[in-house]
Amino acid sequence: MSRTTWSSSPSATSAPLPDEEQRLRELGYQPVLARRMGGFGNFAISFSVISILSGCMTLYGFGLGTGGPAVMLWGWAGVGLFVLCVGLALAEVTSAYPTSGALYYMADRLGGRRWGWYTGWLNLLGLLGAIAGIDYGAALFSGAFLNLQFGFTPTPEKTFLIFLCILLLHAVLNLFNVRLVSLLNSISVWWHVAGVAVIVGVLAIVPDHHQSPSFVFTEFVNDTGWDNPLYVTAIGLLLAQYTFSGYDASAHLSEETSNASVSAARGIVRAIWASWIAGFILLAGLTFAIQDYAGTQRSETGVPPAQIMIDALGESGATALLLIVIVAQLFCGNAETAAASRMVFAFSRDNALPGSAVWRKVSSRTQVPVPAVWLSVGLAALIALPSLYSATAYTAVTAINVIGITPAYAIPIFLKLRAGDRFKPGPWNLGRWSRPIGWIAVLWVAFVTVLFCLPQVSPVTAKSMNYASIALAVVLVLATVWWFVARRSYSTPSAYGSEREQAEIAEDIV
């Protein structure tokens, strides 16, 4: 296939590197962010956001009762394959439009202003839901760690307080320049790889008892209250689909990445397949090490993977492994905060958010969108508020992430397919595989978007209902209402260069 570049392309590496600053001006934007991130750093941010030590661990308890080991392992394998198709198709569009706005800018260019508008709001919902889900998961694991060390009782109120402290930490770290974010993400890659190796290795060697392969790969468990095994299996895919999200971070950081037209596309694809392999190993290692299935589900720590570690290794060993997981989750939340803040900055730069003049401001000292960072963590805190009174709120938050961000992936892919020859591919593209992979991606996203709006447990009550659909409806209504207020001011520029545009950008660097 001519010009197909899946991870390392002769055509991409042998051709002269594009002038990314000039390309950004051609796309309509004056460069104001510091381009200090390399190709590995760009891959690292998406790998850190996917974070198998966050997604797999925090939803492992959900998986135990929603299909059990069989759905967790085979669901991971199947979902990973479809997500790779989504990532390949999205990477192709990213190569053509390497901007911080990413998904909504692509949709705007390929489909028009209204397509871009709704894509942006969906993307924003997903990114903010991801910060909430990641950092609340880190708070849950921190509570389990404190329980083992100090007898701390992780009540919803105490867990939420830990969550707010983690949000504050990530906000502060993201106020420094992008080099620190890039450095932390690079460390995060090796921390995740080494962490998975240590956790799986210890759980494979130390315990005297392990589950059989037939149990790990065929045992089906249904504690949802629903009778239909196919429905339960489908709902159980949330564990994998939630984990496999956030790889658009590479696109959102493209204005801060060298050779972004190639590096950002590669970063997306590499992050997915590396996480796919490592995540399967992690899930298998945890499941083989289960000593007491029912006891794991009812763990006093509130975190089933922690109970697996306690039963297999004792409290001291479990505490050490939990620390590995918590640090990985902190890396993950920090990377997601960076990605979300760039989305807020870009969306405000095009006057799409209430108070855009504030949120698009960039620090002249660090070249970081400081107000956008604070808005991102503040809204993430609001999204997680239902966790104070609802036991199922956390899975609803993760579903918010999936049904917000996943459709936003598919919209520019669909519009690219609809555009046909009007779409001009960048230096990284799929060649003749573009259309079949693109359609697989679109159909998969349509399926999971509907799926994760459905109730996850039965009977459905005020406390057990899936609030993700309500969050989606609220955001779509808000986007529609605000469209009629801001549609005259919202626009993505077709070309950069007027004196007025230069003056407006200069005012926003503070």
Side-chain angles (χ1 to χ4, degrees):
M1 72 188 83
S2 64
R3 300 188 68 203
T4 300
T5 57
W6 290 38
S7 60
S8 58
S9 160
S11 63
T13 55
S14 61
L17 296 180
D19 183 341
E20 296 295 347
E21 305 290 37
Q22 179 57 33
R23 176 58 180 152
L24 191 58
R25 291 185 178 93
E26 291 171 359
L27 294 173
Y29 296 114
Q30 167 69 2
V32 295
L33 301 176
R35 204 174 287 275
R36 296 169 178 166
M37 183 175 287
F40 184 81
N42 187 276
F43 149 75
I45 192 166
S46 282
F47 184 80
S48 298
V49 171
I50 292 175
S51 183
I52 55 175
L53 287 175
S54 179
C56 290
M57 290 290 197
T58 52
L59 279 185
Y60 190 83
F62 172 80
L64 287 175
T66 314
V71 173
M72 284 195 287
L73 270 297
W74 294 116
W76 181 270
V79 169
L81 180 61
F82 284 111
V83 170
L84 184 60
C85 290
V86 178
L88 287 165
L90 183 63
E92 184 176 44
V93 192
T94 297
S95 180
Y97 302 108
T99 71
S100 293
L103 310 180
Y104 87 85
Y105 181 88
M106 302 170 193
D108 186 287
R109 280 292 179 265
L110 294 168
R113 294 173 68 234
R114 192 167 295 203
W115 278 104
W117 177 269
Y118 282 100
T119 301
W121 280 94
L122 287 170
N123 192 196
L124 186 60
L125 171 65
L127 288 167
L128 296 175
I131 296 176
I134 293 163
D135 282 3
Y136 194 82
L140 289 171
F141 272 76
S142 298
F145 176 84
L146 294 172
N147 176 265
L148 289 176
Q149 282 291 92
F150 308 108
F152 174 85
T153 303
T155 64
E157 293 78 13
K158 292 177 181 177
T159 300
F160 196 81
L161 182 60
I162 297 172
F163 165 66
L164 293 179
C165 291
I166 293 172
L167 285 176
L168 179 61
L169 170 66
H170 288 152
V172 172
L173 288 174
N174 273 275
L175 297 182
F176 296 92
N177 67 48
V178 76
R179 282 181 179 168
L180 176 61
V181 175
S182 181
L183 174 63
L184 292 174
N185 290 331
S186 297
I187 296 171
S188 172
V189 171
W190 301 113
W191 186 274
H192 276 80
V193 172
V196 170
V198 169
I199 292 170
V200 173
V202 170
L203 291 178
I205 295 171
V206 176
D208 295 328
H209 169 74
H210 289 89
Q211 298 292 340
S212 66
S214 63
F215 173 87
V216 172
F217 295 105
T218 65
E219 184 72 14
F220 182 85
V221 178
N222 177 15
D223 295 331
T224 65
W226 299 107
D227 295 327
N228 190 322
L230 290 178
Y231 183 83
V232 174
T233 298
I235 294 297
L237 299 179
L238 176 61
L239 183 155
Q241 186 64 52
Y242 165 67
T243 306
F244 280 119
S245 63
Y247 43 85
D248 57 315
S250 288
H252 290 298
L253 272 292
S254 59
E255 289 184 33
E256 296 160 87
T257 301
S258 301
N259 190 25
S261 297
V262 174
S263 296
R266 286 178 176 170
I268 291 170
V269 178
R270 287 174 173 171
I272 293 171
W273 68 252
S275 300
W276 189 17
I277 296 170
F280 190 87
I281 294 170
L282 176 62
L283 288 173
L286 282 171
T287 309
F288 271 112
I290 292 176
Q291 307 295 307
D292 177 2
Y293 201 94
T296 297
Q297 290 179 291
R298 297 191 302 267
S299 175
E300 292 183 1
T301 67
V303 179
Q307 192 63 47
I308 293 175
M309 296 171 185
I310 293 169
D311 293 343
L313 311 172
E315 290 193 1
S316 296
T319 300
L321 295 189
L322 274 178
L323 193 58
I324 293 174
V325 174
I326 292 168
V327 172
Q329 292 171 342
L330 294 177
F331 278 130
C332 174
N334 188 64
E336 184 62 35
T337 302
S341 64
R342 271 46 174 193
M343 169 60 196
V344 170
F345 158 76
F347 216 28
S348 299
R349 179 172 59 182
D350 292 329
N351 296 306
L353 294 180
S356 287
V358 175
W359 313 124
R360 69 185 178 217
K361 291 185 180 297
V362 177
S363 167
S364 59
R365 182 174 60 86
T366 61
Q367 293 180 279
V368 167
V370 173
V373 171
W374 287 113
L375 181 64
S376 298
V377 297
L379 292 177
L382 291 177
I383 289 174
L385 272 177
S387 64
L388 288 171
Y389 63 86
S390 172
T392 61
Y394 181 69
T395 54
V397 168
T398 59
I400 287 171
N401 170 225
V402 171
I403 66 171
I405 209 165
T406 309
Y409 293 159
I411 291 172
I413 298 171
F414 168 74
L415 294 174
K416 178 206 70 172
L417 294 169
R418 193 182 71 166
D421 293 338
R422 289 192 296 109
F423 172 71
K424 303 302 180 184
W428 195 105
N429 62 86
L430 301 173
R432 62 189 175 92
W433 290 97
S434 178
R435 291 189 67 81
I437 289 176
W439 280 115
I440 291 171
V442 169
L443 292 174
W444 173 253
V445 168
F447 168 70
V448 296
T449 301
V450 173
L451 179 63
F452 296 134
C453 286
L454 301 176
Q456 298 164 349
V457 296
S458 178
V460 179
T461 65
K463 287 191 174 183
S464 68
M465 74 172 292
N466 184 354
Y467 288 94
S469 55
I470 295 177
L472 177 62
V474 168
V475 167
L476 290 177
V477 169
L478 176 62
T480 301
V481 171
W482 192 249
W483 168 258
F484 289 103
V485 176
R487 59 182 174 176
R488 289 182 176 83
S489 60
Y490 163 72
S491 66
T492 55
S494 57
Y496 168 79
S498 72
E499 292 182 4
R500 178 184 176 187
E501 287 169 326
Q502 293 181 50
E504 287 178 348
I505 291 169
E507 288 175 3
D508 291 332
I509 302 176
V510 296

